[in-house]
Amino acid sequence: MNSGMDDAPLDDRSLLRCLGAQPVSGAELASRAGQTRAAIGKRIQALRRAGLAIGADRGRGYWLESPLDLLDADAIGAALSPELHSRLRTL
């Protein structure tokens, strides 16, 4: 069950958006992702190996140890002026 999200499994970007400064349980993340808690644990470990600071405490959950600002190409593109869009196409 994905708590109102579509039925596609969460990608890493979406998984990171679920994390915040407050702990989120592995069971909650697993439910949102449509995966087991063990699979979520492995994904968290992979994200840590990639350099992300993710805290964990048994019984409390996972959280980001520092704020994370994920870039979104669509949002960036929407904020650019038509002139900049034109100039970027020439690069």
Side-chain angles (χ1 to χ4, degrees):
M1 183 178 303
N2 282 347
S3 302
M5 296 177 168
D6 60 34
D7 289 334
L10 292 179
D11 60 16
D12 286 342
R13 177 180 289 268
S14 297
L15 179 62
L16 288 169
R17 283 189 185 120
C18 292
L19 299 175
Q22 300 301 316
V24 180
S25 74
E28 173 67 19
L29 292 172
S31 175
R32 290 183 187 188
Q35 296 181 310
T36 65
R37 287 188 324 193
I40 292 296
K42 289 177 183 179
R43 290 179 67 186
I44 295 291
Q45 288 301 324
L47 291 168
R48 286 177 174 154
R49 284 191 300 274
L52 294 165
I54 300 173
D57 187 22
R58 187 178 303 273
R60 290 181 56 217
Y62 300 101
W63 64 92
L64 292 174
E65 292 184 345
S66 59
L68 182 63
D69 190 13
L70 298 172
L71 297 177
D72 182 327
D74 292 333
I76 293 169
L80 296 177
S81 69
E83 178 187 349
L84 283 176
H85 273 285
S86 175
R87 292 175 68 189
L88 285 174
R89 281 191 285 268
T90 64
L91 295 178

